[in-house]
Amino acid sequence: NYTGLNATITNIKIIEITSDTNLPRIDYTGGVGHWLFEPQSSNLITYSEDFSNSYWTKQSGVTPTYNTTETLSPDGTYNATKLVGNGTTGIFKTSISVSGVVSRSFYLKSVTGTTTALFKEPNTNIPAPILLTITNEWQRFEMIGDNGSAFQGLQIDDITLDGLYIWGGQLEQNSYATSYIPTSGAISTRLQDA
């Protein structure tokens, strides 16, 4: 394990880059490090890590614990949110002014063992909701598609009593998810790599 100024590396794999979105990124997916070149992209979620903000709608039946010290988030700090549900409700952000194909993503981790949740577009059932199997390792889950309107969003629904940790919400106008762009009160744009 190694923690440096710009990344946390475990088993020679990048976990997350710090809040500077304009640093070069290295991708170890194939076992050998190589530059990760990406286009310019913006995270349209303005509170990507702060789920305590009223920007996020927490439905009745969901009990949140903000900035839990039970687990480190992917960026190596204690800023993940723990959500315990009743199996039928969740957390969402709706009415983001964007049309066309968008990529939605969250980092999720189970509290213990394995749990499930539903990843969906809160305005419609297009694209089709995705049933997630969430383990006790951080994973980034993605949903890509166009709901056919000028407003889109993202939602984690049907959160169980087993609970889950959530971090790093992202919605970008792109046909695939680019690397995570943190936000804190405003849309954030990462410049194109050159």
Side-chain angles (χ1 to χ4, degrees):
N1 293 351
Y2 167 77
T3 301
L5 293 176
N6 299 322
T8 298
I9 300 173
T10 304
N11 297 330
I12 313 175
K13 181 178 180 185
I14 268 262
I15 300 294
E16 193 56 53
I17 299 218
T18 60
S19 60
D20 188 338
T21 59
N22 292 315
L23 291 174
R25 289 164 302 283
I26 301 173
D27 183 357
Y28 287 98
T29 304
V32 177
H34 60 274
W35 291 102
L36 175 62
F37 292 102
E38 295 184 294
Q40 178 173 309
S41 191
S42 298
N43 188 352
L44 304 178
I45 297 292
T46 58
Y47 289 92
S48 64
E49 298 170 14
D50 183 6
F51 294 95
S52 68
N53 193 283
S54 61
Y55 176 85
W56 291 98
T57 300
K58 281 76 69 177
Q59 294 175 301
S60 176
V62 173
T63 304
T65 304
Y66 306 111
N67 298 318
T68 179
T69 57
E70 294 175 14
T71 188
L72 291 170
S73 64
D75 72 353
T77 62
Y78 289 111
N79 65 351
T81 295
K82 179 181 178 180
L83 300 173
V84 176
N86 61 10
T88 62
T89 58
I91 186 170
F92 67 89
K93 174 59 186 162
T94 188
S95 301
I96 297 169
S97 180
V98 61
S99 58
V101 176
V102 298
S103 171
R104 305 158 181 83
S105 61
F106 281 111
Y107 285 88
L108 301 173
K109 174 183 174 179
S110 68
V111 173
T112 182
T114 300
T115 189
T116 60
L118 199 61
F119 194 173
K120 60 191 270 187
E121 159 59 51
N123 301 292
T124 69
N125 278 330
I126 303 170
I130 302 169
L131 180 62
L132 305 177
T133 300
I134 304 162
T135 68
N136 59 2
E137 296 289 331
W138 283 108
Q139 293 175 279
R140 188 181 192 195
F141 293 96
E142 302 170 1
M143 173 191 278
I144 299 164
D146 180 358
N147 74 357
S149 79
F151 294 95
Q152 303 197 48
L154 67 171
Q155 179 173 4
I156 298 296
D157 204 11
D158 297 357
I159 298 169
T160 69
L161 283 169
D162 295 328
L164 57 83
Y165 300 107
I166 189 170
W167 184 85
Q170 184 156 302
L171 188 145
E172 53 190 317
Q173 193 166 21
N174 210 345
S175 60
Y176 60 93
T178 66
S179 60
Y180 175 60
I181 304 167
T183 63
S184 183
I187 292 169
S188 183
T189 299
R190 183 192 54 250
L191 301 178
Q192 178 178 357
D193 294 312

